[in-house]
Amino acid sequence: MVRPRWQRPRPPSRSGLERSWGRFVAVWASLNLVWVAFDLTYVAVRPFWLQRNLQLIPGVPLTVPLQVLPDITPWVDPIKGIEPHRETQAYLDQFERLDAALAGAAVPFSAEQRRLLEQQVELTNQMIDTNPFQGSDQSGTLEKIKNRLRDRADQDSSKQAAAQLLSPAWLEQRPWQQERLFWRDQVLPLVQTNYWRSIEENAQPTNQAWRIDLLLFQWVFLLDILLRVVRLRRRIPGLGWRDALLRRWIDLPLLLPFWRWLRIVPVVERLQTSRLVNFEPLRAVVSRGVVALLALELFEVLALQLIDGVQGLVRSPRWPQRIRSLRSHQAVIRSEDERQLLELLRIWGPLLLSEVAPRLAPELQSLLGYSLRQSLDRTVVPPPLRQLKPLLQLESGLSSQLAGGMVDSLLDLSRSTGKRLGRTDDAQLEMLQRCIDRFWDELALSLETGPALERSQELICALIEGLKSTYLSQISRARITSLIEELDQLMVSVSPSGEPGG
């Protein structure tokens, strides 16, 4: 059964200890990535961790309680330098005093209760005027509070709505036990989300998360990188420390205190190499999408550049010099004792002359015999005598004998020449070298002295121009997609051993 290339079995690691350490570091790096993501998003999603409620529809006070999650804000807030805001904390403390005073209170309210209601209204108006949420970039939270107050009291002004909802007349008609649910469920949780965050000497908000990153994770990453560098230098003895460290550049984000979101790259690489997670199918899908988007433009640019470059070479007035330079190239090969072209001719010459040509003897005899019969029929035999059958038989036999003799002679010459070329003969190679050099010289001289150069350039460039228009017109997005699908078929049709499967 055939499998894709990412499902092919891989050779096992060199030792079980290495494999276990690699998997431990991969899991530890994954935990570090989770910690980094939590640290980078904590301030933005702090209201969720504080209230542990999931709001399904934005703008609608409909939440799903998730109280099974622990309240982590008392431990994380000090790390981020977050403290309760004095103004909103005073508002919450005042409401607790008001709630305690009104719990089970009889109507009409006492003077102390009325004073607490007036203080709560005053603090609400002060919060609306000063907007303490602006320091924590939560001005939208204050707008939510104002909207809920206006909707509850059916008023256009949030201050008037607060004064109405906390007035003795309103509370005498509605029990406090019912009204307090509105404040505790829809107003106070929003007020609790406000905070004050300290600023360090570098003008950045306080963040001590780097201490946890260093004490728990980064020393492990440093140790693992050093072990990988040592193993790399053992496999490649001549590799220096600097070059070995540069080869592990992908691990650099694990040690950087900034741009920590880049750690996803080494984490994915370690999970893949430790075989805990296989990302190859995902990488194949992503790369296929990128190739499909860019391949059309890339193919067009490369094809145009290649064809225009060939046309530029053909149009160049130095074309004869370039042809003549082929001879100098042969001289360079001779001086370096690397006669690849001559060796190729020495191999292919005997192959063609001694083996291929003799096998073509019947076809050559038929072709040559037919040509001789046509020549004899037109030149030797007069037209009145061409109807005589014995004479035609004589002519056919004579043509066959002549063709057979000529072909046999040519093949004998071919075999003997092939045998001679197959022998290592320095003099013969030298003569062949001179023949090739003379051919380039004479071709370049003929192009320089005759009218063939310009006409040849025009014809070749016209052919290339036609090829350009024809080829580029056939390139399309559908064609690129079909090519990618064909590549996928080729990848899937390879067996685990690397041989084509069926």
Side-chain angles (χ1 to χ4, degrees), residues 240-498:
W241 286 100
R242 183 187 63 182
D243 295 334
L245 287 172
L246 289 177
R247 293 197 177 193
R248 296 304 309 172
W249 63 270
I250 197 173
D251 296 328
L252 183 61
L254 294 174
L255 304 178
L256 292 178
F258 50 87
W259 297 342
R260 292 181 296 165
W261 52 270
L262 289 176
R263 295 184 184 182
I264 189 174
V265 177
V267 170
V268 169
E269 187 266 343
R270 288 172 183 271
L271 289 174
Q272 177 71 24
T273 55
S274 63
R275 306 178 198 171
L276 291 175
V277 181
N278 189 9
F279 292 102
E280 185 61 25
L282 177 61
R283 185 207 62 78
V285 171
V286 173
S287 63
R288 173 176 176 172
V290 174
V291 169
L293 289 175
L294 301 180
L296 180 60
E297 290 77 9
L298 184 61
F299 284 176
E300 289 177 346
V301 171
L302 292 178
L304 281 176
Q305 185 175 4
L306 178 61
I307 295 175
D308 290 343
V310 173
Q311 285 182 323
L313 291 176
V314 173
R315 290 195 182 101
S316 174
R318 296 176 53 85
W319 198 21
Q321 286 79 357
R322 294 181 183 276
I323 294 176
R324 188 176 286 110
S325 66
L326 295 175
R327 182 184 183 278
S328 61
H329 173 66
Q330 299 297 329
V332 172
I333 291 180
R334 187 185 329 116
S335 63
E336 296 176 355
D337 199 22
E338 295 178 359
R339 306 181 180 180
Q340 293 91 346
L341 180 59
L342 296 178
E343 285 295 321
L344 184 63
L345 291 176
R346 192 176 66 82
I347 294 174
W348 278 71
L351 183 67
L352 295 175
L353 296 176
S354 301
E355 298 183 18
V356 176
R359 295 172 186 172
L360 301 177
E363 288 77 9
L364 293 176
Q365 289 180 1
S366 299
L367 178 61
L368 188 57
Y370 178 79
S371 300
L372 288 175
R373 283 196 302 272
Q374 294 295 323
S375 299
L376 292 174
D377 191 37
R378 287 193 301 266
T379 59
V380 178
V381 181
L385 300 179
R386 293 177 185 173
Q387 302 300 325
L388 299 177
K389 193 172 183 179
L391 184 61
L392 292 177
Q393 293 177 351
L394 178 62
E395 176 187 355
S396 177
L398 180 61
S399 300
S400 300
Q401 290 181 0
L402 288 175
M406 294 177 64
V407 169
D408 291 339
S409 301
L410 291 174
L411 292 180
D412 290 339
L413 178 62
S414 174
R415 291 189 187 92
S416 60
T417 305
K419 292 179 180 179
R420 285 194 297 270
L421 289 176
R423 302 190 189 100
T424 303
D425 191 344
D426 293 337
Q428 186 184 61
L429 292 178
E430 189 69 25
M431 288 187 291
L432 184 60
Q433 177 75 54
R434 288 198 301 267
C435 179
I436 295 175
D437 291 344
R438 182 61 182 274
F439 170 77
W440 298 125
D441 280 337
E442 294 299 331
L443 178 59
L445 181 61
S446 300
L447 290 174
E448 286 176 339
T449 57
L453 178 60
E454 295 183 2
R455 184 57 180 165
S456 299
Q457 290 175 331
E458 293 176 0
L459 293 174
I460 294 177
C461 290
L463 291 174
I464 296 175
E465 192 68 28
L467 175 64
K468 181 196 300 185
S469 59
T470 303
Y471 176 72
L472 293 181
S473 63
Q474 293 177 352
I475 299 179
S476 62
R477 188 71 65 187
R479 177 59 178 164
I480 297 300
T481 304
S482 64
L483 288 175
I484 296 177
E485 292 177 355
E486 183 179 354
L487 178 62
D488 291 342
Q489 294 294 332
L490 291 175
M491 290 296 101
V492 175
S493 63
V494 177
S495 62
S497 61

Side-chain angles (χ1 to χ4, degrees), residues 110-181:
S110 63
E112 179 63 22
Q113 293 170 338
R114 291 176 180 272
R115 186 182 64 83
L116 291 175
L117 287 171
E118 292 175 356
Q119 289 180 354
Q120 195 69 36
V121 173
E122 182 180 354
L123 288 176
T124 304
N125 294 336
Q126 180 181 353
M127 182 176 63
I128 294 174
D129 291 334
T130 59
N131 188 12
F133 297 88
Q134 187 174 4
S136 58
D137 295 330
Q138 297 187 92
S139 297
T141 303
L142 180 60
E143 294 300 321
K144 291 181 182 179
I145 296 175
K146 292 162 63 175
N147 290 335
R148 294 181 182 183
L149 292 175
R150 285 192 288 259
D151 293 340
R152 180 70 173 180
D154 195 15
Q155 294 283 345
D156 295 333
S157 172
S158 58
K159 292 183 179 180
Q160 294 177 1
Q164 178 179 336
L165 294 176
L166 295 173
S167 64
W170 179 275
L171 296 177
E172 287 175 358
Q173 298 177 0
R174 296 169 177 79
W176 174 248
Q177 295 300 327
Q178 179 182 348
E179 289 299 306
R180 69 188 295 270
L181 294 179

